[in-house]
Amino acid sequence: MIKSWVESANKPSCEFPVNNLPYGVFSRTDGLLRCGVAIGDFVFDCSAAEEQGLLEVSKAPILSKSVWNPLMESGSATWSELRERLMDFFVEGSTKQSLVQSLLYPLSEVNLHMPFNVAEFTDFYSGKHHASNVGTMFRGQENALPPNWLHMPIGYNGRASSVFVSGTNVHRPWGQLKSTKHENPAFLPSRRFDFELEMGAIVGKNSNAPVSTEEADAMIFGYVMLNDWSARDIQAWEYQPLGPFQAKAAATTISPWIVTSLALDPFRISAPDRDVELLPYLKETNPSFYNINLEVFLSPAGTEEHLISRTNYNEIYYSAAQQLAHHTSSGCPMRVGDLLGSGTISGSDRNSRGSMLELSWGGKEPLNLGNETRTFLQDGDTVIFRGGAKTSDYKVGFGECIGKVMPALENPIST
């Protein structure tokens, strides 16, 4: 742990020590959106610091737009310089303490907002245990993984317009549901609404041509936790032949703090063992996987939280760098602010599964929540993701990724 004069940042349980310094957007009672950095129990007003000449890391202001996209666009040298400046502000014995102390505000007194403008959203299917579980449920164990799955990251283009920050309520989506008893589908609210535990990688550099995994890794600005809300019954009827569409379009929730790749460097680990050799363009020269603990809690309306899953980001089969390299392999341009979902992160046992679909095994094995059970999410349920990378004396956290399931909106179809 790098010690700080901000005492709360030195607690081993604190998510935001000097080693982290994640980026977010906050507002106070005046409602103005400001770029901020979390340190201990406080948020530091980076926008004000830049206005006062304390954070001049670029010729033009980059922290006045109330999102972090301008910093991403400024390049990796500026990313490093800003981080070094901020660490210098908050390290124990800093000569800048008297200059910056007045720009600290308690996290408990601010509201958090979307930290960046999402350019595009691509969601992958890169959790091997998840893919195997889902495939086993629907195709049997022998055909669980599609023939292509071990050779490349599978993904689909999602909706940037429905990516929301933690704390945003999520309405149960409407859609076409196919009944086994009737020939025609009905238009109804989803009855099998679900969460998916994922990590999201944020692209910080543009590309107009294919890139290597090493180049892709350098393009990633930072990471967030991500909940890919999924309507399983809508998905079951629509996914053939082109894959998910409306089942995934209602909402995607991300945690409020962008944890930079620089902060996560100490937690890099090597790739998992491969079942088959990957093609050269997907092979990695440097470790680009991370050891990040993840937990899922479910809080039924008005009741306590229940820990329902505990897993790790290292269970993913393809890294964000491999996903990004594959995304560009056709020549597809990537833009600053593109968001890549990892795919559902599940471990090998039941208590480490990253979705209700798996935890309840398609609804056949209800999940025990004390006085009640769940197969899929009910109205009023709150889903909470918590996660962080840990050493023996400090933690790099993301803040909570929270969403509450609200009843479906009134029937959108005129009768």
Side-chain angles (χ1 to χ4, degrees), residues 4-285:
S4 174
W5 55 264
V6 180
E7 288 299 327
S8 58
N10 298 326
K11 298 176 182 177
S13 61
C14 177
E15 291 193 289
F16 309 126
V18 175
N19 306 69
N20 191 356
L21 300 178
Y23 300 138
V25 171
F26 74 99
S27 66
R28 299 171 62 210
T29 54
D30 58 11
L32 294 177
L33 302 188
R34 317 285 286 179
C35 287
V37 163
I39 175 72
D41 295 334
F42 299 88
V43 59
F44 174 68
D45 191 338
C46 292
S47 296
E50 184 184 63
E51 292 166 5
Q52 296 177 18
L54 299 174
L55 272 181
E56 293 179 314
V57 293
S58 177
K59 293 181 180 179
I62 57 174
L63 304 177
S64 60
K65 302 295 184 183
S66 302
V67 287
W68 288 92
N69 298 64
L71 173 63
M72 300 183 216
E73 293 166 354
S74 67
S76 54
T78 307
W79 304 354
S80 297
E81 183 178 356
L82 179 63
R83 179 171 171 78
E84 290 171 4
R85 293 278 193 94
L86 290 166
M87 293 178 80
D88 184 52
F89 284 172
F90 297 112
V91 70
E92 189 176 55
S94 172
T95 59
K96 307 292 195 308
Q97 178 176 347
S98 61
L99 295 175
V100 302
Q101 197 159 10
S102 64
L103 299 180
L104 288 174
Y105 303 101
L107 281 168
S108 59
E109 298 177 7
V110 302
N111 295 315
L112 299 176
H113 305 271
M114 277 293 293
F116 71 106
N117 289 329
V118 181
E120 304 284 352
F121 172 47
T122 303
D123 194 33
F124 285 89
Y125 187 53
S126 293
K128 186 179 180 184
H129 293 297
H130 172 71
S132 297
N133 287 338
V134 174
T136 298
M137 276 184 244
F138 294 105
R139 293 185 298 274
Q141 190 170 3
E142 292 183 358
N143 299 306
L145 293 178
N148 58 1
W149 198 93
L150 293 172
H151 296 273
M152 64 178 177
I154 305 299
Y156 69 93
N157 289 314
R159 293 291 304 173
S161 62
S162 55
V163 178
F164 304 112
V165 74
S166 174
T168 306
N169 291 335
V170 175
H171 286 276
R172 182 178 299 275
W174 288 80
Q176 285 198 23
L177 310 185
K178 183 66 168 67
S179 170
T180 56
K181 299 179 181 180
H182 305 286
E183 181 177 349
N184 294 321
F187 191 74
L188 297 167
S190 171
R191 296 166 177 168
R192 294 164 68 91
F193 198 44
D194 201 356
F195 67 84
E196 291 192 0
L197 172 65
E198 303 192 20
M199 293 292 293
I202 301 165
V203 177
K205 298 179 182 179
N206 295 331
S207 71
N208 293 304
V211 300
S212 67
T213 56
E214 186 175 1
E215 291 168 326
D217 189 47
M219 290 171 61
I220 297 172
F221 178 69
Y223 292 82
V224 291
M225 289 187 295
L226 185 150
N227 186 345
D228 175 34
W229 301 94
S230 301
R232 301 300 185 186
D233 39 9
I234 298 174
Q235 184 176 353
W237 173 232
E238 76 177 2
Y239 84 100
Q240 294 180 342
L242 295 181
F245 183 36
Q246 293 299 88
K248 305 277 192 171
T252 301
T253 303
I254 64 169
S255 52
W257 299 103
I258 302 171
V259 176
T260 64
S261 297
L262 293 169
L264 290 172
D265 274 343
F267 305 96
R268 288 179 179 266
I269 57 175
S270 299
D273 293 335
R274 300 293 175 189
D275 298 73
V276 298
E277 186 175 0
L278 297 178
L279 293 176
Y281 80 99
L282 285 174
K283 292 183 178 180
E284 297 185 296
T285 57

Side-chain angles (χ1 to χ4, degrees), residues 200-381:
I202 301 165
V203 177
K205 298 179 182 179
N206 295 331
S207 71
N208 293 304
V211 300
S212 67
T213 56
E214 186 175 1
E215 291 168 326
D217 189 47
M219 290 171 61
I220 297 172
F221 178 69
Y223 292 82
V224 291
M225 289 187 295
L226 185 150
N227 186 345
D228 175 34
W229 301 94
S230 301
R232 301 300 185 186
D233 39 9
I234 298 174
Q235 184 176 353
W237 173 232
E238 76 177 2
Y239 84 100
Q240 294 180 342
L242 295 181
F245 183 36
Q246 293 299 88
K248 305 277 192 171
T252 301
T253 303
I254 64 169
S255 52
W257 299 103
I258 302 171
V259 176
T260 64
S261 297
L262 293 169
L264 290 172
D265 274 343
F267 305 96
R268 288 179 179 266
I269 57 175
S270 299
D273 293 335
R274 300 293 175 189
D275 298 73
V276 298
E277 186 175 0
L278 297 178
L279 293 176
Y281 80 99
L282 285 174
K283 292 183 178 180
E284 297 185 296
T285 57
N286 298 310
S288 60
F289 291 76
Y290 294 95
N291 180 12
I292 300 174
N293 297 313
L294 299 168
E295 294 179 324
V296 181
F297 296 81
L298 179 58
S299 175
T303 66
E304 63 181 332
E305 296 176 4
H306 297 266
L307 175 64
I308 60 173
S309 181
R310 179 182 283 126
T311 185
N312 193 291
Y313 188 28
N314 63 19
E315 295 286 0
I316 216 73
Y317 194 80
Y318 296 102
S319 69
Q322 289 173 313
Q323 292 170 345
L324 181 53
H326 181 66
H327 210 326
T328 69
S329 62
S330 64
C332 172
M334 303 301 294
R335 296 290 176 259
V336 169
D338 281 349
L339 177 63
L340 308 180
S342 64
T344 305
I345 305 167
S346 295
S348 58
D349 59 76
R350 178 177 180 176
N351 295 329
S352 62
R353 295 172 184 171
S355 67
M356 291 296 294
L357 177 66
E358 297 166 88
L359 287 164
S360 71
W361 205 252
K364 297 177 182 178
E365 301 173 6
L367 194 65
N368 190 337
L369 299 177
N371 296 326
E372 51 188 314
T373 61
R374 288 288 185 278
T375 52
F376 292 92
L377 298 175
Q378 295 184 12
D379 293 348
D381 287 349

